[in-house]
Amino acid sequence: MTDSISNAPPGKIEPRPSNRTATWYRPTFSHEHGVYVVLFVSLLTGAAAAQQWTLTTTLACLSAFAGFQAEHPLVLQIKQRRSLKPRFLVWGAIYSGIALGIAAYLSLQAPVLIWLYLGAIMAFAIDAISVFYRQQKSVVNELITFAAVCLATPFVYAATVGTLIPTIFGLWALNWLFFSSAIFTVKLRKPKTAALLPGVVYHAIASFIVAALCYFNFLSPFTAAAFIVVLLKFAFILARRNWYQTAPIQKVAILETFCALLFLFITAISLLPAHLSTSNFH
């Protein structure tokens, strides 16, 4: 999907396997470690908003994870152009089958999920076209990608409680705006995209949107306050720009992960009730 907060070096797709291991039954796994963090936080904020964890919550998490894994081999196959790779096709089909099978079952319990599925399918189609035309690292495509991954928040919520409410879309937007910040900060590490203005403009617009969501009651003030984490991160990066541009990618990943977990903690605390009884977990 995107390498904005991935631990892997830019442009790295997958190590070339030996002939012995490059068989169709060898599973593929995405190397986009940063997107795992986005997906993890989005899933848990959706569960926190639902204020309970049920079997359908677990199934939604499995479906979202399988859908994310399905994207990896399918994108690799698209990059091959006319060369068909059985391994990519087989595992893309397996992961897709798991994701779609669970999604179909969940939609029987909560038909409103179909609207989220349509959004995810449209995002994947746009990503596939961008990959084909080698535009997958464009800002627009990465924004769409993050928006799609953050759909895990309303997905888990709707799968758990059976409906969607306006505030859950406010929470989805908060996640999306928070994680999309990495598109602009990571680009500061690359000489060709190191301009400060795009990042400053993005964070100003994102802050205005979060404030508007709070004003119109799509977010509570406490939940909206979690966005301060990304503003502090951006301020830190600007203050330590020389360090940020030359630091090993592992240290950048640690910074991004720490901020994501802090964001999750604040958001979850703001969403969970004062007391959770054992009956909420079944």
Side-chain angles (χ1 to χ4, degrees):
M1 280 189 173
T2 177
D3 67 349
S4 290
I5 52 175
S6 171
N7 294 356
K12 181 177 179 180
I13 298 176
E14 186 176 79
R16 184 178 296 275
S18 65
N19 292 332
R20 179 181 177 184
T21 59
T23 50
W24 66 269
Y25 54 80
R26 180 171 172 264
T28 63
F29 294 101
S30 173
H31 299 287
E32 301 287 357
H33 301 143
V35 184
Y36 283 108
V37 176
V38 180
L39 183 62
F40 174 77
V41 172
S42 297
L43 291 170
L44 290 189
T45 52
Q51 300 187 359
Q52 57 182 311
W53 191 287
T54 67
L55 174 60
T56 54
T57 309
T58 302
L59 291 176
C61 292
L62 291 174
S63 179
F65 180 77
F68 167 57
Q69 290 298 335
E71 187 264 356
H72 178 62
L74 294 177
V75 164
L76 290 181
Q77 177 57 69
I78 293 171
K79 290 181 178 180
Q80 298 297 316
R81 297 299 190 272
R82 296 185 177 86
S83 176
L84 294 178
K85 301 295 183 181
R87 178 170 172 246
F88 297 155
L89 296 175
V90 167
W91 284 100
I94 290 174
Y95 291 133
S96 297
I98 294 172
L100 293 174
I102 297 175
Y105 169 76
L106 292 175
S107 67
L108 296 177
Q109 315 298 315
V112 72
L113 286 171
I114 293 174
W115 295 105
L116 298 180
Y117 299 162
L118 291 176
I121 291 171
M122 289 178 60
F124 175 76
I126 293 172
D127 186 52
I129 293 171
S130 298
V131 170
F132 185 81
Y133 288 104
R134 297 184 173 89
Q135 297 296 318
Q136 66 269 31
K137 293 182 181 179
S138 68
V139 170
V140 172
N141 187 60
E142 290 196 313
L143 284 170
I144 293 173
T145 295
F146 277 115
V149 176
C150 290
L151 281 175
T153 296
F155 178 42
V156 166
Y157 179 88
T160 303
V161 304
T163 188
L164 287 169
I165 56 176
T167 53
I168 201 64
F169 289 104
L171 187 58
W172 161 77
L174 180 66
N175 277 279
W176 174 42
L177 293 170
F178 178 90
F179 288 110
S180 293
S181 165
I183 297 172
F184 300 91
T185 55
V186 171
K187 288 185 184 299
L188 292 175
R189 291 172 53 83
K190 305 173 185 178
K192 293 183 179 180
T193 58
L196 283 176
L197 184 60
V200 172
V201 171
Y202 170 80
H203 287 84
I205 294 174
S207 298
F208 175 80
I209 294 174
V210 171
L213 290 171
C214 185
Y215 179 80
F216 290 107
N217 296 319
F218 282 88
L219 290 172
S220 71
F222 191 1
T223 303
F227 193 74
I228 294 175
V229 173
V230 84
L231 298 180
L232 292 175
K233 183 197 75 172
F234 187 59
F236 172 80
I237 289 172
L238 293 183
R240 301 290 303 277
R241 187 177 177 187
N242 290 336
W243 170 85
Y244 185 78
Q245 290 177 322
T246 58
I249 190 63
Q250 290 80 5
K251 291 186 177 181
V252 174
I254 290 172
L255 174 64
E256 295 288 350
T257 302
F258 172 77
C259 291
L261 294 178
L262 181 58
F263 169 79
L264 172 61
F265 176 77
I266 297 172
T267 304
I269 290 297
S270 73
L271 294 170
L272 290 172
H275 301 283
L276 277 177
S277 65
T278 56
S279 60
N280 290 113
F281 298 87
H282 57 277

